[in-house]
Amino acid sequence: MKKTSWALITVMILMGLVFSGCSPAEVGFNDLYREAVNLDVSENSGELTIDLDTLPPIFPNEEDTAKLTVLEDMLNKYAVSFKGRFDYENQVAETIYYLKDRLTGEEEELTELILTADTIYIKTAGIIDLIKVFGDDELNKTLDIAFEGTEYIALSMQEYNVIASNNIFKQGTNFFSLAREQQNIILNNISDFSMEVYDNYQTGLVRKTDKGYAFSVDPEGAVKCFQSILVYTINNIEKFGACLTDSITALTDDQMRVLGLEPNIKNEILSMIDPFVANVKENRSNYLEFINEIGNEKEYIDAFKGSEITMSLEKEVPETYAT
């Protein structure tokens, strides 16, 4: 079975996690999200902190363990923050990533990522300095020679195709036009599928705030949500299969290409759905038992204990959204 044949089905299932839920808060969140992502100019910012102290040992030798210790010390001291601006009108997107001192709040630029219609630019200095923290003298000398005088690396979309092993960026493809087309397909086609299948499902993760909505989940909550949506899907597998068939059938050849899929695999994907549904129906009890056991993997849940994913989406004034 070709790996690409599973791509669209995987996307559909994942979109169920993003757009599912029929509570007033979840529906309102999705509607406000659709408004915000259709802006021609948007700005975003965020921060990521990682704690490796609770993870079980994963490196077998002293050299790797020493590097992990350096990484742990760095993550204990710094968070990674970012500030970005996406401009469809002028066809340029820029995101700057920083190492942010967790005590003082001071930020040191790590790298800058710039997207134009056909090229990706990556600022090198901060990334090279970070790599050199973990490298040996020979590697660091090689990096100094290779990147001497280099401020940015330029990567065309065609070169990106080679690195990412896909062929989504054809010659002359405009990144911003493609991004907007993909966004429209996801919001209008795939999310409609999710809303149809999960019309009686609620994640319980979204709540209403004064100006918008907030989403938060900790590791245990994420596992429970993942379990519940899988159970719902299995118990409604016939509906899932029928809606999936309708959604994929409705995709045009051009839309398939925009999603990075060749149109000629549509029939192959469609031919997989009925056997997939039949297999789930026949082995429903086994799948449900397996899903129930996921919650018993306490070691992995405890490894991320104390962490939380949060997101807020608010409409401050017309055409101004905060995330």
Side-chain angles (χ1 to χ4, degrees):
M1 190 78 66
K2 296 180 180 179
K3 287 192 293 183
T4 53
S5 300
W6 289 99
L8 200 53
I9 291 180
T10 302
V11 169
M12 294 291 193
I13 295 173
L14 292 178
M15 291 309 298
L17 290 170
V18 177
F19 290 101
S20 63
C22 63
S23 71
E26 289 161 338
V27 172
F29 177 89
N30 290 332
D31 290 342
L32 190 59
Y33 177 79
R34 287 170 184 257
E35 281 186 41
V37 298
N38 279 315
L39 295 174
D40 288 331
V41 180
S42 61
E43 296 181 353
N44 59 79
S45 62
E47 184 175 312
L48 173 68
T49 59
I50 303 174
D51 187 356
L52 298 183
D53 292 341
T54 57
L55 286 176
I58 55 177
F59 293 118
N61 58 62
E62 292 183 4
E63 181 180 354
D64 289 336
T65 300
K67 291 179 179 179
L68 178 62
T69 300
V70 174
L71 178 60
E72 287 178 340
D73 291 342
M74 179 175 293
L75 293 176
N76 286 336
K77 183 177 181 181
Y78 296 104
V80 177
S81 60
F82 65 89
K83 298 174 184 176
R85 178 180 173 85
F86 206 98
D87 188 340
Y88 277 103
E89 291 180 343
N90 295 303
Q91 300 200 340
V92 62
E94 177 186 28
T95 302
I96 302 177
Y97 295 89
Y98 302 89
L99 288 178
K100 181 178 178 180
D101 191 298
R102 293 169 71 167
L103 291 178
T104 66
E106 294 182 3
E107 292 180 325
E108 178 182 350
E109 185 174 317
L110 177 61
T111 188
E112 179 183 29
L113 183 67
I114 301 174
L115 295 177
T116 65
D118 57 6
T119 308
I120 304 170
Y121 298 93
I122 305 171
K123 196 170 185 178
T124 60
I127 292 180
I128 299 303
D129 290 342
L130 181 62
I131 294 174
K132 288 169 67 175
V133 171
F134 303 96
D136 53 34
D137 292 340
E138 184 177 350
L139 172 61
N140 293 346
K141 184 177 180 180
T142 301
L143 291 172
D144 287 337
I145 295 173
F147 292 95
E148 183 180 6
T150 302
E151 186 175 4
Y152 288 88
I153 298 173
L155 190 68
S156 71
M157 294 304 178
Q158 285 70 44
E159 290 170 327
Y160 172 83
N161 278 346
V162 175
I163 295 173
S165 300
N166 66 41
N167 197 32
I168 194 169
F169 294 107
K170 308 291 185 182
Q171 188 69 34
T173 297
N174 182 300
F175 169 80
F176 290 86
S177 297
L178 180 65
R180 181 53 59 88
E181 288 182 71
Q182 289 178 328
Q183 173 185 293
N184 288 337
I185 293 172
I186 291 173
L187 292 178
N188 297 326
N189 294 59
I190 299 179
S191 67
D192 286 347
F193 153 82
S194 299
M195 295 300 288
E196 288 180 26
V197 175
Y198 301 99
D199 57 341
N200 291 313
Y201 175 81
Q202 297 184 24
T203 65
L205 302 179
V206 180
R207 68 181 188 278
K208 183 78 173 67
T209 62
D210 290 340
K211 297 181 180 179
Y213 302 89
F215 166 98
S216 62
V217 61
D218 59 16
E220 187 173 0
V223 171
K224 288 181 178 179
C225 181
F226 184 64
Q227 285 179 295
S228 69
I229 199 168
L230 287 178
V231 169
Y232 182 94
T233 302
I234 289 173
N235 286 332
N236 293 272
I237 193 63
E238 296 89 346
K239 185 177 182 180
F240 178 93
C243 292
L244 183 59
T245 297
D246 291 342
S247 296
I248 294 177
T249 301
L251 288 172
T252 67
D253 287 355
D254 286 341
Q255 288 174 328
M256 293 281 288
R257 293 188 184 96
V258 168
L259 293 174
L261 300 169
E262 292 299 326
N264 59 13
I265 72 166
K266 178 189 279 190
N267 289 335
E268 181 180 350
I269 296 173
L270 289 171
S271 69
M272 294 167 51
I273 296 176
D274 285 345
F276 171 74
V277 170
N279 177 272
V280 172
K281 289 173 63 177
E282 181 179 352
N283 300 282
R284 195 190 308 263
S285 60
N286 292 333
Y287 285 128
L288 292 174
E289 181 180 354
F290 172 76
I291 293 169
N292 184 58
E293 292 174 355
I294 294 176
N296 297 326
E297 300 294 333
K298 298 297 183 183
E299 178 181 358
Y300 298 101
I301 296 176
D302 291 343
F304 295 94
K305 190 174 182 179
S307 62
E308 186 177 39
I309 298 174
T310 61
M311 175 184 175
S312 63
L313 180 60
E314 298 181 343
K315 188 171 184 177
E316 298 183 335
V317 296
E319 299 302 307
T320 302
Y321 300 80
T323 60

